[in-house]
Amino acid sequence: ATVLAWSSDSRVLAIGSADGNVRLIPGVRKLRRLGLYTLGSHGDAIVSTHFRRPGSLDLVTVSRNGRLCLWKS
């Protein structure tokens, strides 16, 4: 399964996947040089991704084994 979350300003797309990684992809032209970032601290499939609050790039992810990670921008 794959889960998606857009930041409230559409600057970043977070993609959580069955391999336990979260990938961050920039969503606007001026961030194209940002590239692709991979966050890999989960030991199981990602079941939820959410940006913490509007205007924030802090990301909360949850894996199938119940592990919750807060990724601060």
Side-chain angles (χ1 to χ4, degrees):
T2 300
V3 292
L4 306 171
W6 273 106
S7 61
S8 63
D9 58 5
S10 298
R11 286 175 35 202
V12 178
L13 174 64
I15 304 168
S17 60
D19 66 4
N21 290 309
V22 178
R23 290 164 182 85
L24 303 176
I25 301 172
V28 295
R29 258 185 235 131
K30 66 181 176 181
L31 293 178
R32 294 242 187 256
R33 292 182 304 191
L34 177 68
L36 171 72
Y37 284 89
T38 301
L39 309 173
S41 189
H42 288 281
D44 207 346
I46 306 299
V47 296
S48 180
T49 60
H50 297 280
F51 284 93
R52 196 164 176 201
R53 62 181 169 274
S56 172
L57 293 179
D58 293 348
L59 183 68
V60 177
T61 58
V62 180
S63 60
R64 186 173 41 207
N65 63 6
R67 183 173 190 171
L68 181 141
C69 291
L70 171 60
W71 307 91
K72 292 193 166 208
S73 58

